[in-house]
Amino acid sequence: ANTEVISGSGEVLGGYHGNDSFIPLLPSDFNFGSDSSRTHGVYTADDGATSRVANASSNMYASKIIPNGFTATGVRVNCSVTLAGAVTPHDASITDDSINDHTAGATNADVAFSGTDPVGDGERYVIVEFNPAATSNEIQGGKIIISRT
């Protein structure tokens, strides 16, 4: 059963840290990549305001759990440039190694899940994949868009 917390003024509190429309993604949330060598990791060139990769052939990933009582409906990655097909949403569960791939979209735009939107059950999470075209492509942040189920 879902438990809703009601503020003293009658406002329903819930979602991700009280936000019921999106889960924020900080540049530092894209903290793992598809390159297994230590020299091609994710780094910042501006005191943490953005993140980037040392090797443009390495993708960057962020993941967040979907809160109970919510459904993830899309993702967004804000980037220093607009790149078509550079953002791919996935969803998975902490109970096994299966993953659902969804259709890729552009940076700086909302990308909807293709197929079935993942529903938060305490175990299901969203993975946001960013495929840079160059090492100068900086992630400025993003979000996972959610709605009450």
Side-chain angles (χ1 to χ4, degrees), residues 4-13:
E4 291 186 338
V5 177
I6 310 294
S7 72
S9 63
E11 178 183 4
V12 176
L13 304 174

Side-chain angles (χ1 to χ4, degrees), residues 78-141:
N78 298 317
C79 183
S80 57
V81 295
T82 298
L83 301 168
V87 177
T88 305
H90 309 275
D91 70 278
S93 174
I94 62 172
T95 62
D96 58 43
D97 64 354
S98 65
I99 187 170
N100 296 313
D101 299 323
H102 299 274
T103 303
T107 58
N108 303 320
D110 293 348
V111 179
F113 285 94
S114 56
T116 304
D117 290 343
V119 177
D121 61 3
E123 297 176 343
R124 183 136 308 271
Y125 61 97
V126 171
I127 304 161
V128 182
E129 177 183 357
F130 172 64
N131 182 2
T135 57
S136 60
N137 299 157
E138 297 176 322
I139 290 181
Q140 301 158 335

Side-chain angles (χ1 to χ4, degrees), residues 47-64:
D47 297 326
T50 63
S51 61
R52 56 169 76 173
V53 291
N55 178 348
S57 65
S58 178
N59 295 344
M60 301 164 69
Y61 300 87
S63 58
K64 297 283 184 174

Side-chain angles (χ1 to χ4, degrees), residues 14-78:
Y16 185 84
H17 297 290
N19 187 335
D20 65 356
S21 60
F22 67 90
I23 301 168
L25 297 174
L26 304 176
S28 60
D29 287 328
F30 290 85
N31 59 8
F32 61 108
S34 59
D35 187 334
S36 62
S37 70
R38 291 185 300 166
T39 59
H40 294 116
V42 177
Y43 74 98
T44 184
D46 49 20
D47 297 326
T50 63
S51 61
R52 56 169 76 173
V53 291
N55 178 348
S57 65
S58 178
N59 295 344
M60 301 164 69
Y61 300 87
S63 58
K64 297 283 184 174
I65 198 85
I66 306 165
N68 277 322
F70 286 81
T71 298
T73 60
V75 302
R76 181 183 182 98
V77 174
N78 298 317

